[in-house]
């Protein structure tokens, strides 16, 4: 059986196609201003990659912020449910999932079958999300990859009170003017995000194994900082940004 | 070492100070959260009253316990407890005042092991003639509990001695504050804060000795700095001394304050009386009210205005601990009072840590306006 | 999508009468002062029946007024903006901000006309972050006298509780004398006592009505409950409220016997701890699409209502009026009245200590036969918010699922409706509850 999962994220749309419980395609595009068209395009790219035709797909399930806007989907499921299912497939030992997306972070507690037991999310606050990393990289006049790279070279703490992303940006500007090394500022930014996220995640029971997913999981500086704040080993699956879409595809096959 | 340097040392090593005190006196230390806690009674019990303060560091441990939109001081104080920095405390007490710090107390009580806990349910209707008799009852209950915990009776003599020491402490600090009326105060606002905060952390007898030393030093102390604009600081809890130090590098001096790590804590003395418990109770009912227990604006604004005039201030920094409801209620009336009296004000909102750069700019701009007006 | 119509449903027979009584209450609030009645400001938990000793009165409870404004965004938003323009902080109680905003606008919500000048403010002080400092602002703005009863006895965990109750009773007595002085009216003890007798009965009835929603299916939906609540909240001192609430209670018992449901497709039951988001009440109708019914909210069980918790048995039963309780005196004069009210308030579940509350939440969860709690973190309300994470942890530890969202129950600008629905959908999905559609 062939199914597809579409993660309609705020920043990017991801598609995963699963055939008989195996991942056969992944594709991603920036969401842009025409999300339905982007979803169509991304799906077509994945279909081509899988070497199948549209009619071969038995069911399409959407997830993500824009999940209800896709007319050609059969149904939708929330990101929390999709995350738990997806990670259960990739790393069955995981019981706590931290998903940091562009604009939202989630903490999910799940059981051995990938069922959601509890979850927490950040409320109207982007200080613990991917968009913050990008805006800070602009303030530091660095690309995100370079910011991550120099962050690992930091030798000093420069704490940021990142209760609010907007004010945290002001603090970063202040730090730049005090001639603190960019590496230390970059490290401070990552530390602040991890701190905010962990603060939110601690509202649910934290049980090993703990996994970090979502696009921000590719940020090794965040992974290091999360390990430090949570005090546990953090697993990052391959292609962490696709876990939600994968979960949706698997649920479509269930 | 000068007295001020000694105060600074205590602040920097406060936890060690308390532990050393305990060892030296074979005594117990009791933490308190709000200035309505009767320090005289704790001291009379032979304990070291230790004000629990935050550390102004970023923290992520309190969100599980206290909702984030709770006063930063309350969160920062709880964070210290959760991080184990106050593990040497034998007791914790709170006097009923404000809901935010109530959260700190409740969570500390429930989740941080501490041998002795006591909640003084003090009256909050201070204008009621029933307040003093009830306060006496509450203090009697506190005394009984302290006696049970320490295994030592609190005698009338102990209470009398404690009252005397704390009254001396208050008198001496007021004398220091008198020096700030001078055209060139020999002590900065930050140094005064260090003195007052140290008084909340130290054995009052030791602190009195240092005050006496300070009062000997002040007449000839020269600061070699520009006094600049004379400012008053008004607000709730304020122990961000680093901030005040930064502010005073910008051509200004904080010459007087009204906050609870400043004059509001110590200004009123216990009026002597045969019944010491009643006398202490009267002091806390009649004292300079915190907005959390006051139901009238005028007594506070009148008192603040008098201080402002007596210390010849030229501007006021009203600092607001973010989310602090009781003080937020008072701010519009305060600002109106200052405006009606042609005193310029700057309002700044504080959190556990603050954006120094942005605050510096605001203060500089404020001072520039005042300097132009004063020319 | 599955389709299930499980239960028969019928409108409430007494609904129209309830509406009229409610409108009467609002009309009285709008015109009472003009009719020569005393107009007094306080908080809803105040035993305002005591004011009857001074004669005819209208008691404007700030919170329900604030909630009424909050449920009307075109009125609420400009009011709150003016409040903020006056220099008051935005993170304070939403009810208060709506109230003060309309006062500063000089626009009374119930009439659209000028905001009334109160004769005085008199209130219990159950929240140091709000009441009575709220009234302090009104007192200064309108130049009216104010007094309050400091009675947060639930926080007393150490020491002599009786001394505190005596202090509270003393304040009530002193305030009667104060009211006589400022109104130049003689206080009629008997009238005050009679009104408070009605007050106690009404609270007991409202509590009992809330308890009846423990039946499956629930006979009363939460939106209707909110709509009828003003009768108890605003008219607790009146016999006409006793008559209506008795009728409502009896009708609910009939509905239970006939298995008449408020929500015909009821299949998942939730309850709350706090007031709802007043500008977003449609969330409850939305959840009915999932077959979710709300059995009740703890806060309105014990605020304008009263019940008796039997902690050792893990049960809850209707409350009896104080004079019928063993060891309580019959009220004969104002001293008795004040002592009774002080003791009644101290023993009322409204005054339950934090740790006792946790037990009560679990008892109510079981009594309402709920599947989960919905926890609203109301930004701006310190007492209800500060310990919410602690409550959540405690409930979860006992196996009670909870769904939590943040928002302001009285500030429509501070509630993310899409986010709330998303969160609820996520929670229900985890519980295995999908949307259902009628055939």
């Amino acid at each position: 059986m062939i199914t597809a999962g579409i993660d309609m994220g705020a920043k990017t749309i991801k598609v995963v196609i699963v055939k008989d419980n195996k991942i056969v395609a992944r594709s991603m595009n920036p969401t842009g201003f025409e999300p339905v068209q982007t979803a169509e395009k991304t799906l077509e790219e994945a279909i081509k990659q899988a070497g199948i035709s549209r009619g071969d797909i038995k069911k399409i399930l959407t997830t993500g912020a824009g999940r209800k806007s896709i007319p050609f989907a059969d149904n939708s499921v929330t990101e929390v449910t999709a995350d738990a299912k997806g990670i259960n497939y990739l790393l069955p030992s995981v019981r706590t999932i931290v998903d940091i997306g562009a604009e939202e972070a989630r903490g999910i507690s799940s059981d051995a079958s990938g069922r959601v037991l509890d979850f927490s999310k950040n409320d109207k606050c982007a200080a613990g999300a991917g968009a913050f990393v990008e805006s800070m990289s602009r303030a530091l006049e660095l690309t995100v990859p370079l910011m991550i790279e120099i962050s690992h070279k930091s030798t000093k703490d420069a704490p940021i009170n990142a209760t609010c992303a907007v004010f945290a940006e002001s603090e970063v500007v202040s730090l730049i003017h005090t001639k603190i090394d960019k590496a230390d500022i970059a490290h401070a930014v990552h530390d602040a995000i991890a701190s905010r996220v962990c603060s939110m995640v601690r509202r649910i029971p934290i049980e090993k194994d703990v996994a970090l997913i979502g696009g921000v999981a590719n940020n090794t500086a965040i992974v290091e900082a999360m390990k430090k704040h949570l005090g546990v080993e953090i697993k990052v699956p391959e292609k962490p940004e696709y876990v939600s879409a994968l979960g949706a595809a698997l649920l479509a096959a269930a | 070492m000068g007295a001020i340097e000694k105060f600074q040392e205590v602040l920097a090593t406060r936890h060690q100070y308390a532990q050393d005190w305990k060892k030296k006196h074979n005594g117990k230390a009791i933490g308190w959260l709000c200035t309505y806690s009767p320090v005289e009674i704790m001291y009379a019990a032979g304990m070291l009253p230790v004000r629990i303060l935050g550390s102004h560091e970023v923290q992520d441990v309190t969100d599980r316990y206290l909702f984030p939109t709770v006063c930063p001081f309350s969160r920062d104080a709880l964070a210290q407890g959760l991080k184990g920095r106050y593990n040497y405390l034998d007791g914790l007490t709170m006097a009923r005042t404000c809901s935010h710090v109530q959260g700190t107390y409740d969570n500390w009580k429930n989740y941080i092991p501490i041998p002795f806990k006591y909640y003084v349910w003090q009256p909050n209707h201070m204008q009621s003639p029933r307040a003093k008799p009830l306060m006496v009852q509450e203090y009697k209950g506190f005394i009984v509990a302290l006696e049970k915990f320490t295994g030592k009776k609190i005698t009338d003599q102990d209470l009398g001695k404690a009252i005397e020491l704390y009254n001396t402490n208050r008198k001496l600090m007021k004398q220091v504050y008198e020096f700030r009326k001078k055209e060139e105060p020999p002590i900065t606002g930050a140094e005064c804060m260090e003195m007052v905060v140290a008084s909340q952390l130290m054995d009052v007898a030791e602190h009195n000795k240092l005050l006496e030393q300070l009062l000997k030093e002040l007449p000839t102390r020269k600061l070699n700095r520009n006094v600049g604009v004379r400012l008053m600081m008004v607000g709730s809890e304020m122990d961000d001394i680093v901030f005040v130090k930064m502010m005073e590098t910008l051509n200004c001096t904080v010459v007087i304050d009204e906050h609870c790590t400043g004059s509001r804590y110590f200004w009123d003395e216990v009026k002597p009386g045969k019944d010491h418990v009643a006398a202490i109770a009267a002091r806390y009912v009649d004292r300079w009210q915190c907005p959390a227990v006051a139901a009238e604006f005028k007594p506070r604004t009148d008192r603040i205005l008098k201080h402002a005039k007596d210390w010849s201030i030229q501007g006021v920094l009203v600092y607001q601990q973010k989310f602090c409801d009781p003080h937020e209620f008072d701010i519009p009336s305060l600002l109106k009072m200052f405006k009606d009296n042609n005193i310029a004000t700057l309002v700044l909102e504080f959190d556990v840590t603050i954006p120094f750069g942005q605050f510096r700019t605001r203060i500089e701009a404020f001072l520039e306006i005042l300097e132009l007006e004063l020319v | 999508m599955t389709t299930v119509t499980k239960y028969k449903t019928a409108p409430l027979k007494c609904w129209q009468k309830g509406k009229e009584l409610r409108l009467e209450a609002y009309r009285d609030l709008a015109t009472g002062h003009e009719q020569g009645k005393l107009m007094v400001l306080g908080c809803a938990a105040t035993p305002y029946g005591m004011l009857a000793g001074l004669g005819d009165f209208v008691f404007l409870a700030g919170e329900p007024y604030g909630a009424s404004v909050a449920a009307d965004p075109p009125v609420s938003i400009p009011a709150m903006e003016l409040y903020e323009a006056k220099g008051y902080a935005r993170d304070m109680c939403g009810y208060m901000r709506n109230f003060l905003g309309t006062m500063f606008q000089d626009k009374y919500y119930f009439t659209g006309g000028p905001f009334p000048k109160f004769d005085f403010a008199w209130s219990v002080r159950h929240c140091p972050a709000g009441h009575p400092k709220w009234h302090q602002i009104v007192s200064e703005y309108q130049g009216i006298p104010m007094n309050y009863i400091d009675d947060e006895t639930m926080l007393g965990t150490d020491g002599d509780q009786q001394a505190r109750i005596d202090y509270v009773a003393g304040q009530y007595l002193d305030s009667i004398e104060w009211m006589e002085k400022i109104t130049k009216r003689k206080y009629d003890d008997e009238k005050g006592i009679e009104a408070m007798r009605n007050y106690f009965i009404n609270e007991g009835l409202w509590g009992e009505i809330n308890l009846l929603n423990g039946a499956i299916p629930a006979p009363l939906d939460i939106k209707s409950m909110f709509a009828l609540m003003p009768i108890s909240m605003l008219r607790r001192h009146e016999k006409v409220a006793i008559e209506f609430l008795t009728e409502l209670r009896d009708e609910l018992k009939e509905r239970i016997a006939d298995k008449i449901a408020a929500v015909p497709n009821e299949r998942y039951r939730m309850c709350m701890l706090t007031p709802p988001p007043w500008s977003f009440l449609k969330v409850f109708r939305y959840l009915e699409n999932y077959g979710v019914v709300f059995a009740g909210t703890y806060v309105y069980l014990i605020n304008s209502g009263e019940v008796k918790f039997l902690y050792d048995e893990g049960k809850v039963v209707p409350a009896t009026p104080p004079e019928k309780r063993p060891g309580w005196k019959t009220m004969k004069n104002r001293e008795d009245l004040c002592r009774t009210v002080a003791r009644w308030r101290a023993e009322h579940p409204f005054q339950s200590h934090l740790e006792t509350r946790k037990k009560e939440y679990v008892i109510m969860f079981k009594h309402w036969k709920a599947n989960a709690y919905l926890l609203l973190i109301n930004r701006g309300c310190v007492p209800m918010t500060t310990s919410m994470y602690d409550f959540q942890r405690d409930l979860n530890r006992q196996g009670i699922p909870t769904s939590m969202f943040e928002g302001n129950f009285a500030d429509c600008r501070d509630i993310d409706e899409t986010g709330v629905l998303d969160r609820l959908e996520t929670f229900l999905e985890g519980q295995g509850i999908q949307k259902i559609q009628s055939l």
Side-chain angles (χ1 to χ4, degrees):
Chain A
M1 180 161 154
I2 300 176
T3 55
I6 307 179
D7 178 2
M8 299 292 297
K11 199 161 163 266
T12 55
I13 292 174
K14 282 83 62 179
V15 172
V16 170
I17 295 179
V18 164
K19 179 181 175 182
D20 301 327
N21 214 39
K22 278 204 176 63
I23 301 168
V24 294
R26 294 185 188 98
S27 66
M28 171 161 65
N29 281 302
T31 306
F33 286 105
E34 307 286 346
V36 179
Q37 281 174 14
T38 307
E40 270 284 8
K41 177 177 162 210
T42 314
L43 179 61
E44 286 306 320
E45 284 166 5
I47 286 169
K48 205 170 166 187
Q49 206 189 107
I52 57 172
S53 70
R54 182 70 173 256
D56 294 332
I57 300 178
K58 276 273 158 345
K59 202 169 177 189
I60 299 172
L61 219 58
T62 55
T63 186
R67 64 183 177 276
K68 297 200 168 136
S69 60
I70 303 302
F72 56 83
D74 294 290
N75 211 338
S76 69
V77 73
T78 65
E79 311 86 286
V80 167
T81 305
D83 284 352
K85 192 70 184 173
I87 208 66
N88 187 250
Y89 174 90
L90 294 168
L91 297 167
S93 66
V94 166
R95 295 290 174 267
T96 310
I97 307 153
V98 183
D99 180 356
I100 308 180
E103 281 172 18
E104 194 177 76
R106 296 174 277 277
I108 303 162
S109 168
S110 59
D111 67 13
S113 67
R115 192 175 71 98
V116 174
L117 299 172
D118 199 359
F119 70 94
S120 62
K121 282 183 178 194
N122 62 305
D123 276 277
K124 280 202 288 194
C125 173
F132 183 47
V133 179
E134 295 191 1
S135 80
M136 294 299 103
S137 73
R138 284 193 292 274
L140 289 169
E141 293 180 345
L142 298 168
T143 61
V144 172
L146 190 54
M147 189 171 119
I148 297 169
E149 191 190 314
I150 66 168
S151 175
H152 286 297
K153 297 186 180 134
S154 162
T155 53
K156 267 204 309 281
D157 281 339
I160 292 173
N161 184 20
T163 307
C164 167
V166 175
F167 292 124
E169 190 167 346
S170 300
E171 283 188 66
V172 166
V173 169
S174 284
L175 290 173
I176 291 168
H177 289 144
T178 56
K179 309 264 187 272
I180 291 184
D181 196 279
K182 269 189 187 178
D184 295 331
I185 301 177
H187 175 80
V189 166
H190 288 122
D191 204 63
I193 294 169
S195 174
R196 294 304 303 150
V197 172
C198 291
S199 200
M200 180 268 298
V201 171
R202 283 197 189 96
R203 292 188 221 152
I204 58 166
I206 298 176
E207 211 191 305
K208 285 192 215 170
D209 286 330
V210 178
L212 182 61
I213 65 173
V216 175
N218 287 313
N219 184 327
T220 51
I222 294 263
V223 177
E224 275 309 300
M226 293 279 304
K227 267 191 221 173
K228 182 188 103 184
H229 282 278
L230 281 180
V232 291
E233 215 24 66
I234 307 269
K235 289 182 181 307
V236 180
E238 201 197 325
K239 301 209 184 291
E241 63 272 31
Y242 285 100
V243 174
S244 273
L246 168 63
L250 291 166
L251 284 163
Chain B
M1 197 193 281
I4 288 170
E5 285 74 28
K6 289 201 181 123
F7 295 141
Q8 289 168 347
E9 191 183 67
V10 168
L11 258 61
T13 59
R14 62 189 68 179
H15 301 302
Q16 194 55 51
Y17 173 89
Q19 290 170 88
D20 290 344
W21 185 95
K22 282 181 58 169
K23 238 189 246 150
K24 181 176 171 194
H25 296 269
N26 194 27
K28 299 189 194 310
I30 179 165
W32 55 273
L33 289 159
C34 164
T35 60
Y36 277 88
S37 286
V39 284
E40 297 89 337
I41 293 177
M42 293 182 252
Y43 195 79
M47 298 176 91
L48 175 70
V50 174
R51 184 160 192 191
I52 294 171
L53 296 168
S55 66
H56 301 285
E57 297 164 285
V58 176
Q59 57 84 13
D60 57 11
V61 296
T62 57
D63 278 2
R64 299 186 65 208
Y65 302 96
L66 277 182
F67 191 63
T69 60
V70 156
C71 120
F73 165 66
S74 303
R75 284 184 277 126
D76 204 358
L78 181 62
Q80 307 314 304
L82 291 168
K83 289 180 175 181
R85 291 181 183 163
Y86 280 100
N87 282 352
Y88 56 86
L89 286 179
D90 303 282
L92 175 71
T93 185
M94 181 184 154
R96 178 176 69 110
T97 46
C98 140
S99 310
H100 297 252
V101 84
Q102 179 78 44
T104 303
Y105 178 82
D106 287 336
N107 281 292
W108 200 303
K109 196 174 103 148
N110 288 341
Y111 299 110
I112 302 169
I114 192 154
F116 174 81
K117 293 157 277 209
Y118 196 90
Y119 186 84
V120 178
W121 193 93
Q122 66 159 26
N124 278 194
H125 191 172
M126 298 311 195
Q127 302 104 315
S128 167
R130 317 262 173 181
K132 281 178 193 163
L134 180 71
M135 192 72 110
V136 169
Q137 290 305 311
E138 292 297 333
Y139 286 169
K140 284 184 171 160
F142 189 30
I143 287 170
V144 166
L146 283 168
E147 287 173 338
K148 195 167 166 205
F149 178 62
T150 59
K152 179 180 148 315
K153 185 119 182 63
I154 299 173
T155 64
D156 222 35
Q157 214 176 356
D158 294 327
L159 286 167
K161 183 88 186 132
I163 289 171
E164 195 192 313
L165 284 169
Y166 274 98
N167 271 358
T168 302
N169 193 250
R170 290 160 182 148
K171 281 193 181 75
L172 293 175
M173 286 202 279
K174 279 190 276 191
Q175 285 177 31
V176 172
Y177 268 51
E178 282 295 312
F179 278 90
R180 299 166 85 185
K181 284 179 175 170
K182 289 175 175 302
E183 246 184 68
E184 291 198 14
I187 185 167
T188 64
E191 288 168 338
C192 257
M193 259 176 72
E194 286 166 336
M195 169 187 79
V196 180
V197 174
S199 78
Q200 298 175 343
L201 304 174
M202 287 178 75
D203 182 322
V204 64
E206 283 177 44
H207 194 259
N208 285 349
K209 287 204 173 76
L210 288 176
L211 287 174
E212 282 158 8
Q213 180 187 336
L214 178 63
L215 284 164
K216 288 197 180 94
E217 291 166 5
L218 285 178
T220 54
R221 193 167 187 255
K222 291 268 181 277
L223 287 182
N224 297 319
R225 63 183 289 280
N226 256 349
V227 175
V229 177
R230 297 171 68 88
L231 291 183
M232 178 175 195
M233 274 183 74
V234 176
S236 54
E237 191 277 344
M238 160 53 78
D239 67 310
D240 199 336
I241 295 170
V242 175
F243 162 77
V244 180
K245 282 187 169 142
M246 180 278 286
M247 191 165 73
E248 288 185 309
T249 63
L250 303 173
N251 199 37
C252 68
T253 305
V254 179
V255 299
I256 187 64
D257 61 69
E258 193 265 5
H259 56 70
C260 81
T261 26
S263 66
R264 207 167 52 229
Y265 161 66
F266 68 84
W267 208 256
D268 304 282
E269 295 170 39
V270 175
K271 293 199 178 87
K274 267 169 68 180
D275 183 339
H276 292 316
V277 177
I280 297 171
R283 189 258 172 194
Y284 284 91
V285 170
D286 293 336
R287 59 156 274 188
W288 199 316
Q289 301 297 3
C290 169
V293 301
E296 290 173 302
F297 295 118
K298 207 164 179 313
R300 184 178 175 225
T301 52
D302 282 352
R303 237 175 147 167
I304 289 173
L305 182 63
K306 183 166 190 318
H307 259 31
K309 289 185 170 156
D310 290 348
W311 269 263
S312 313
I313 60 127
Q314 290 150 340
V316 180
L317 170 63
V318 177
Y319 69 87
Q320 167 62 28
Q321 288 283 1
K322 217 172 161 87
F323 311 125
C324 168
D325 299 76
H327 281 265
E328 280 171 341
F329 276 105
D330 275 24
I331 283 179
S333 293
L334 261 181
L335 297 181
K336 180 174 183 306
M337 178 274 285
F338 284 125
K339 190 168 178 205
D340 291 345
N341 286 276
N342 294 314
I343 298 172
T345 52
L346 171 69
V347 182
L348 290 179
E349 206 176 56
F350 276 62
D351 203 335
V352 173
T353 65
I354 52 170
F356 270 81
Q358 282 70 30
F359 275 16
R360 193 193 167 97
T361 308
R362 282 160 177 76
I363 295 164
E364 278 178 330
F366 178 59
L367 294 175
E368 278 165 13
I369 294 168
L370 287 175
E371 282 157 10
L372 283 173
E373 284 179 9
L374 295 169
V375 156
Chain C
M1 297 205 192
T2 53
T3 306
V4 174
T5 304
K6 281 172 77 178
Y7 302 106
K8 58 184 171 187
T9 186
L12 274 176
K13 289 181 207 157
C14 64
W15 177 251
Q16 190 55 35
K17 194 171 186 182
K19 263 178 75 175
E20 280 162 20
L21 282 173
R22 201 184 79 190
L23 275 169
E24 237 176 59
Y26 288 134
R27 250 197 313 270
D28 215 21
L29 288 173
T31 60
H33 208 203
E34 286 165 25
Q35 295 167 32
K37 297 184 184 179
L38 270 179
M39 189 150 192
V40 182
L41 168 68
C43 84
T46 306
Y48 57 79
M50 289 177 75
L51 295 166
L54 295 170
D56 287 337
F57 71 94
V58 166
F59 184 79
L60 183 66
E63 309 97 300
Y65 176 88
S68 301
V69 180
D72 193 348
V75 175
S76 170
I77 294 172
M80 288 190 292
E81 285 173 352
L82 178 57
Y83 159 94
E84 286 152 29
K86 291 274 184 187
Y88 293 94
R90 192 173 161 160
D91 58 274
M92 301 219 277
C93 165
Y95 288 148
M96 183 188 74
R97 291 189 279 129
N98 280 284
F99 178 102
L100 292 178
T102 57
M103 182 181 81
F104 294 140
Q105 288 176 321
D106 195 18
K107 265 204 213 136
Y108 192 41
Y109 182 68
F110 296 128
T111 58
F115 196 87
K117 180 171 168 169
F118 301 98
D119 290 289
F120 57 89
W122 179 73
S123 179
V124 293
R125 175 190 186 273
H126 70 80
C127 166
H131 328 277
K133 292 202 74 73
W134 168 345
H135 311 140
Q136 195 177 324
I137 296 173
V138 179
S139 169
E140 188 185 67
Y141 189 78
Q142 293 194 337
I144 59 166
M146 101 171 224
N147 203 340
Y148 62 98
I149 311 294
D150 168 28
D151 80 340
E152 273 182 303
T153 51
M154 76 278 218
L155 296 176
T157 47
D158 305 300
D160 181 5
Q161 192 73 339
Q162 188 55 50
R164 291 160 199 152
I165 296 171
D166 292 342
Y167 157 73
V168 173
Q171 287 175 82
Y172 278 118
L173 202 56
D174 295 343
S175 67
I176 289 178
E177 205 181 298
W178 172 81
M179 283 188 239
E180 283 181 318
K181 208 161 95 191
I182 57 165
T183 60
K184 297 189 180 32
R185 296 182 183 203
K186 188 88 185 61
Y187 189 87
D188 184 328
D189 293 9
E190 195 43 52
K191 285 208 167 105
I193 289 170
E194 201 45 48
M196 280 310 296
R197 284 197 177 115
N198 295 339
Y199 195 102
F200 298 140
I201 294 171
N202 273 314
E203 284 227 348
L205 279 168
W206 185 250
E208 190 180 351
I209 284 163
N210 273 263
L211 291 182
L212 287 171
N213 251 16
I216 297 177
L220 186 67
D221 73 285
I222 202 163
K223 275 197 79 181
S224 303
M225 188 272 272
F226 291 144
L228 293 171
M229 190 173 66
I231 295 161
S232 177
M233 195 161 256
L234 307 176
R235 309 192 73 162
R236 263 170 284 178
H237 60 301
E238 295 182 86
K239 276 215 154 41
V240 67
I242 296 177
E243 284 156 15
F244 175 75
L245 292 180
T246 306
E247 194 181 324
L248 174 61
R249 179 206 56 195
D250 293 343
E251 186 180 335
L252 292 178
K253 284 182 172 170
E254 281 171 20
R255 286 169 73 94
I256 291 168
D258 291 341
K259 282 207 159 351
I260 294 175
V263 176
N265 56 4
E266 173 186 314
R267 61 177 181 152
Y268 191 83
R269 295 164 65 94
M270 293 186 80
C271 50
M272 293 174 69
L273 294 182
T274 63
W278 292 107
S279 59
F280 188 42
L281 289 177
K282 63 181 184 241
V283 67
F284 299 109
R285 290 282 176 246
Y286 175 82
L287 288 171
E288 285 172 13
N289 293 324
Y290 289 76
V292 173
V293 72
F294 275 79
T297 176
Y298 172 87
V299 69
Y300 292 133
L301 181 76
I302 53 89
N303 184 2
S304 73
E306 189 187 4
V307 291
K308 183 168 171 64
F309 286 97
L310 305 172
Y311 300 100
D312 293 338
E313 296 167 59
K315 281 191 179 144
V316 60
V317 296
T320 48
E323 286 173 305
K324 294 204 160 72
R325 297 175 195 176
W328 288 66
K329 265 180 82 172
T330 303
M331 296 180 283
K332 291 202 170 68
N333 51 44
R334 64 179 70 175
E335 285 78 15
D336 290 342
L337 171 64
C338 294
R339 265 197 291 273
T340 299
V341 170
R343 184 182 170 188
W344 173 75
R345 282 269 306 166
E347 296 180 11
H348 194 293
F350 187 97
Q351 294 270 34
S352 289
H353 187 264
L354 212 84
E355 298 306 315
T356 314
R357 281 254 152 94
K358 287 177 181 174
K359 294 183 191 146
E360 290 169 3
Y361 295 156
V362 176
I363 291 173
M364 285 320 301
F365 180 80
K366 291 181 176 149
H367 178 87
W368 275 326
K369 299 184 192 67
N371 299 102
Y373 257 113
L374 178 63
L375 306 178
L376 160 56
I377 295 203
N378 176 38
R379 287 196 273 254
C381 176
V382 181
M384 283 201 222
T385 294
T386 312
S387 302
M388 195 55 86
Y389 290 150
D390 197 27
F391 293 148
Q392 185 190 37
R393 253 201 312 280
D394 191 69
L395 292 168
N396 290 160
R397 247 201 305 266
Q398 299 182 67
I400 296 174
T402 56
S403 176
M404 185 185 267
F405 70 92
E406 264 183 60
N408 196 298
F409 61 12
D411 186 345
C412 55
R413 304 166 301 177
D414 196 14
I415 185 152
D416 178 1
E417 294 185 1
T418 315
V420 169
L421 293 178
D422 188 75
R423 205 173 270 254
L424 286 169
E425 193 187 325
T426 306
F427 172 76
L428 290 171
E429 211 173 68
Q431 298 286 300
I433 304 289
Q434 302 280 351
K435 228 180 203 174
I436 51 180
Q437 208 175 34
S438 292
L439 271 168

